[in-house]
Amino acid sequence: MKFFSKNSLFFFICININNINAFADSNIIDIQLDNWSAEINLKSLEVMGKTEQNSLSIASPISHLLSDFKNLKKSSNTFSWDYPEKSISVEVKKENNFLVFKFTSKIPQIFEWPSTLTSTNSETNNSEELVIPDGEGLLIPTQDPFWITKIDKYDAYEYSMKEQLTLPLFANITDYNTVTYISDSSLNNTLKFNKNSDSIYIQQEHQFRQKDNLAPYIIKITVDPKQDFLAPGKHFRNLLTQKNELITLNQKAAQNKEITKLYGAFHAYLWGTGRTEESLNLLKDLGIHSLWLGYDQNINEKYKVTKKFIQTAKNYGYLVGPYDTWENIQNPKTADTQLSIFPNAWPIAAIIEEGGKRKPGFQNRGYEASSEYFVKQKPENKDLYSRLKNFKETGINSYFLDVDATGALHDDYSPIHPMNAKKDMENRIKRLNHISKQEKLVLGSETAVYWAIPSLAFAHGNFSVFNSPHWKLTRQNKIYGRWYPTERPEFFFKTIKAPEDYENTKYNPLYRIPLFQYVYHDAIITTDRWEIPITKFSNLKTKRILFEILYGIPSIWSLDFKLIKENKIELKKYSDFFQTYHHKIAELPLTSFEFLTNDKFVQQAKYKNEIIVTANFSKISYKNIPKESVEVNYLKENKKVIYTP
């Protein structure tokens, strides 16, 4: 990874169309917004911001990459100019308190802009923290030696916005302000972590592609005159609301009442004896009346989820559904799972890469399946919906479709079923909506990104952040656990101690923030990754439960009869608390979040005006809250409950 000097970076532009002042040299424009102003250097695309109290760097200059600007124009609501030698045109307009920049290109090229590298102007503030929507959300101090080291160690220099970030945004917190950058789309955008001396900064890159007909690059920028790590979440949620794109759980449940069965439920995947009615009866006898139960199974396994099992689970009030994926196709004669067998798809449905080869599937198993191939089937999606019909006939009331919501979108150069990433996204949204709206199944997927949220009731994986240490650890089979024995895979049931890096990058209260929950808590229910059950790490169990209660989300388990029996006291204690708590909180928005102590080990969340949750992650008590415990204050009932995992 190469690092760029300051003058090679990209910066942000700010403007109020109703108040534009060109200086004598016509290189500088001043723009006044509601509570801040912007100064744009047209020659370098440097943007400086000003509030009543101070000035700040919005975007760093890139003059050596732009050449001279021409055709400066101003209409009633738009300011525009061109960079002819770069074949790039710029339009800027004001929307509410945002500066909206639209870049268009006449040729395929990579355009790197903006950058948070601090200006050398002595009046500007220094960048202090970066807000990154990696999973739930990270707050990374720009001069933290720990993160500088870990970004190096795990080669975490680049984030594809479409599949590695859950929201299409980031933010830069300075000494006194918060600058939020929201992209109109996550497609073709990359966030790059660079280093300058002893600090980290972000540079966003956009790729103009012929495959997308050179679609424009649109980015919105605003300034909050205070430090606020949830500001980007607030702005993004407001934009969703304005466009009627925030579909709440309450609205979703109005279309399918089964969704309310997620309220108060923890989530569990079933293995081996977990698929027996004996296990269901034990769970029911523990007083657990809210559960989401998932399963996958092969024909050779001893214990299978039967129609009778599904009906019993439903009788107990549980949601139950299969794990499925429509992403992978394999030769029916040699496939390692039935889920990769589609009668009419092999090998014609394979995605064709630009070089003409079929795109290998996950871990080189078969091929990646083209969503456009299935769309072109007659009837549409015949193979997929036939699979779905077969599952539905077993009596399921829920469904987990892997990958479709993750943002892992593909180009396909097949002459039979060509598509770009945008078309792939549209295809996936359509089939997710078919499952949830037409088939009325309570639908979940893996680590859902923003555009998939309206189609889903739940997602597994959004809680997880900075997964590079996770992938590294899971590849160490002797430590993490193997995928056998079949009925009780070590991968899920072996309990180990998480390494120090794993704990500090993924579960350290200093760096985690509920950014995703601030946007979507009342719109979708999320959990940690499905392959990280709450029992996996002995040294993280308490901390993870505290985070989950604080963020108002359920824990995820791997269950069989033995584990249920061995953990029945804990299961009952947790479910007794969580069922009551989550039923009250599931449909409420997260309205505020703050650190109550300087060390950030005591954190507090507020849900509307109804519930205040305070988590004490420290090893000592905080006021009336014992160490490593959480207090839930039910404001309407004037009742406080302490829970210690």
Side-chain angles (χ1 to χ4, degrees):
M1 178 68 184
K2 69 176 182 178
F3 300 112
F4 295 82
S5 63
K6 171 184 175 293
N7 62 3
S8 70
L9 301 172
F10 310 92
F11 63 91
F12 283 66
I13 298 180
C14 323
I15 172 171
N16 182 328
I17 303 304
N18 296 319
N19 188 356
I20 299 174
N21 299 312
F23 283 50
D25 61 4
S26 298
N27 292 338
I28 305 294
I29 295 173
D30 265 345
I31 302 151
Q32 184 65 48
L33 288 96
D34 295 349
N35 60 349
W36 64 287
S37 63
E39 181 183 280
I40 306 166
N41 186 316
L42 300 178
K43 293 191 70 173
S44 67
L45 271 181
E46 181 177 24
V47 181
M48 300 294 295
K50 292 183 179 180
T51 66
E52 288 185 1
Q53 292 78 27
N54 45 63
S55 61
L56 64 152
S57 176
I58 303 287
S60 303
I62 52 172
S63 55
H64 75 289
L65 296 176
L66 292 175
S67 72
D68 289 335
F69 71 93
K70 294 183 179 180
N71 303 321
L72 179 61
K73 298 176 183 178
K74 175 186 178 293
S75 65
S76 59
N77 65 348
T78 303
F79 191 72
S80 65
W81 65 96
D82 302 322
Y83 297 106
E85 292 185 23
K86 291 296 294 181
S87 297
I88 285 177
S89 298
V90 186
E91 289 183 359
V92 184
K93 63 180 179 179
K94 178 187 175 185
E95 288 182 359
N96 300 319
N97 202 29
F98 278 97
L99 287 175
V100 181
F101 297 91
K102 179 180 180 181
F103 298 92
T104 55
S105 175
K106 296 178 181 178
I107 60 173
Q109 62 176 306
I110 291 175
F111 181 60
E112 295 177 302
W113 186 96
S115 165
T116 66
L117 182 65
T118 302
S119 169
T120 56
N121 188 321
S122 60
E123 296 180 358
T124 63
N125 301 320
N126 292 321
S127 173
E128 290 197 348
E129 294 174 306
L130 299 171
V131 178
I132 311 297
D134 177 353
E136 182 58 63
L138 282 172
L139 183 66
I140 299 180
T142 56
Q143 295 186 332
D144 190 330
F146 172 80
W147 276 106
I148 292 173
T149 301
K150 299 315 170 189
I151 287 173
D152 278 343
K153 179 176 180 179
Y154 293 101
D155 196 26
Y157 294 109
E158 296 189 3
Y159 279 79
S160 167
M161 184 176 278
K162 72 180 173 69
E163 58 186 300
Q164 291 178 286
L165 301 179
T166 54
L167 306 170
L169 55 81
F170 69 95
N172 181 31
I173 300 178
T174 70
D175 290 351
Y176 304 104
N177 308 280
T178 303
V179 187
T180 295
Y181 309 88
I182 300 177
S183 296
D184 190 59
S185 168
S186 61
L187 302 181
N188 303 327
N189 294 331
T190 301
L191 286 193
K192 292 186 173 182
F193 282 80
N194 290 332
K195 291 190 300 184
N196 181 46
S197 183
D198 59 351
S199 66
I200 305 168
Y201 64 90
I202 282 180
Q203 177 175 301
Q204 183 159 315
E205 174 186 287
H206 179 80
Q207 184 176 11
F208 291 102
R209 306 191 317 156
Q210 198 66 56
K211 186 78 171 173
D212 308 313
N213 298 315
L214 301 175
Y217 172 37
I218 301 173
I219 191 163
K220 300 177 173 71
I221 307 164
T222 192
V223 173
D224 286 86
K226 61 179 180 178
Q227 293 185 322
D228 183 2
F229 53 79
L230 292 180
K234 173 185 66 178
H235 294 304
F236 190 70
R237 183 178 170 96
N238 287 342
L239 290 172
L240 291 174
T241 302
Q242 292 166 14
K243 295 185 291 184
N244 294 316
E245 293 178 0
L246 183 68
I247 313 300
T248 66
L249 283 166
N250 182 271
Q251 292 171 303
K252 294 172 182 179
Q255 302 300 315
N256 182 2
K257 291 183 179 179
E258 292 285 283
I259 286 175
T260 62
K261 292 181 179 178
L262 287 170
Y263 305 170
F266 65 86
H267 294 225
Y269 277 94
L270 306 171
W271 304 89
T273 55
R275 300 167 182 165
T276 62
E277 289 188 65
E278 186 179 19
S279 290
L280 287 179
N281 293 336
L282 182 53
L283 290 167
K284 184 66 174 178
D285 291 343
L286 292 175
I288 300 173
H289 52 75
S290 297
L291 266 178
W292 180 88
L293 299 173
Y295 62 92
D296 67 340
Q297 57 190 0
N298 290 314
I299 56 175
N300 296 325
E301 292 182 2
K302 179 179 179 181
Y303 299 97
K304 297 183 179 65
V305 172
T306 63
K307 288 184 178 181
K308 186 178 179 183
F309 177 94
I310 291 170
Q311 187 57 54
T312 300
K314 289 166 61 179
N315 290 344
Y316 290 167
Y318 303 159
L319 288 167
V320 57
Y323 165 95
D324 196 5
T325 177
W326 296 347
E327 184 80 358
N328 181 262
I329 55 168
Q330 297 183 40
N331 188 330
K333 296 180 180 179
T334 58
D336 57 20
T337 171
Q338 292 174 291
L339 300 182
S340 294
I341 299 175
F342 297 93
N344 306 291
W346 176 264
I348 192 173
I351 287 173
I352 304 299
E353 297 179 303
E354 191 170 7
K357 294 184 179 181
R358 296 185 180 109
K359 186 177 181 64
F362 179 66
Q363 294 184 341
N364 288 314
R365 299 161 53 255
Y367 303 123
E368 293 280 353
S370 171
S371 65
E372 185 67 5
Y373 166 79
F374 291 115
V375 166
K376 291 182 179 295
Q377 281 189 328
K378 301 299 179 185
E380 186 176 295
N381 290 313
K382 177 176 65 176
D383 276 2
L384 306 183
Y385 295 168
S386 292
R387 160 87 63 79
L388 182 63
K389 180 183 177 182
N390 291 337
F391 271 124
K392 196 173 181 184
E393 287 176 349
T394 65
I396 58 172
N397 54 5
S398 185
Y399 203 74
F400 183 88
L401 185 62
D402 201 12
V403 181
D404 260 37
T406 63
L409 305 171
H410 306 291
D411 295 324
D412 189 348
Y413 291 86
S414 165
I416 303 172
H417 41 78
M419 68 177 182
N420 59 11
K422 183 179 180 182
K423 186 63 169 68
D424 192 15
M425 178 182 72
E426 292 168 350
N427 293 342
R428 291 169 189 267
I429 291 174
K430 187 173 181 179
R431 64 197 200 184
L432 290 173
N433 282 335
H434 176 86
I435 300 170
S436 61
K437 294 180 174 63
Q438 275 71 51
E439 299 294 341
K440 300 291 185 182
L441 291 170
V442 178
L443 178 63
S445 191
E446 177 188 356
T447 315
V449 298
Y450 69 100
W451 52 258
I453 307 300
S455 308
L456 301 172
F458 68 96
H460 295 160
N462 285 65
F463 179 74
S464 193
V465 302
F466 200 73
N467 284 318
S468 295
H470 179 66
W471 309 136
K472 182 178 179 180
L473 182 59
T474 57
R475 287 192 290 268
Q476 301 177 53
N477 294 338
K478 291 183 179 180
I479 298 174
Y480 195 86
R482 298 161 292 183
W483 284 88
Y484 60 85
T486 303
E487 306 300 334
R488 205 170 203 266
E490 290 179 349
F491 196 83
F492 299 99
F493 287 93
K494 182 182 180 181
T495 297
I496 64 173
K497 183 177 180 180
E500 186 177 358
D501 266 10
Y502 194 100
E503 178 174 7
N504 285 331
T505 55
K506 293 179 62 60
Y507 297 102
N508 193 324
L510 295 176
Y511 308 122
R512 292 194 61 125
I513 52 172
L515 180 65
F516 184 87
Q517 295 305 317
Y518 193 75
V519 180
Y520 284 120
H521 185 269
D522 57 345
I524 187 171
I525 292 169
T526 59
T527 72
D528 212 330
R529 292 192 59 82
W530 76 294
E531 78 272 31
I532 316 178
I534 198 68
T535 56
K536 185 65 190 179
F537 299 111
S538 57
N539 56 327
L540 294 182
K541 194 173 184 181
T542 295
K543 187 180 292 185
R544 289 174 67 191
I545 290 176
L546 293 181
F547 269 125
E548 290 163 353
I549 295 171
L550 181 65
Y551 290 6
I553 62 174
S555 61
I556 192 161
W557 297 67
S558 292
L559 295 180
D560 66 359
F561 186 81
K562 180 181 179 182
L563 191 140
I564 297 169
K565 192 171 182 179
E566 290 176 348
N567 293 269
K568 62 182 181 180
I569 295 176
E570 181 183 1
L571 279 166
K572 178 172 176 54
K573 175 185 173 182
Y574 170 76
S575 62
D576 285 350
F577 165 81
F578 189 76
Q579 286 171 162
T580 299
Y581 168 64
H582 194 246
H583 265 284
K584 294 179 181 293
I585 207 171
E587 292 188 353
L588 299 180
L590 173 62
T591 49
S592 70
F593 185 89
E594 58 183 321
F595 302 116
L596 299 186
T597 56
N598 290 334
D599 63 9
K600 297 184 177 180
F601 273 60
V602 182
Q603 304 180 5
Q604 187 175 88
K606 187 174 184 179
Y607 295 87
K608 212 170 180 181
N609 292 317
E610 300 184 25
I611 294 176
I612 296 177
V613 189
T614 308
N616 179 10
F617 291 93
S618 72
K619 300 290 186 180
I620 59 174
S621 62
Y622 173 80
K623 296 183 177 179
N624 64 315
I625 306 175
K627 65 177 184 179
E628 298 180 310
S629 300
V630 65
E631 176 193 80
V632 178
N633 185 353
Y634 297 99
L635 298 176
K636 286 187 174 181
E637 302 166 38
N638 194 26
K639 182 178 71 172
K640 294 181 179 180
V641 176
I642 299 287
Y643 183 81
T644 303

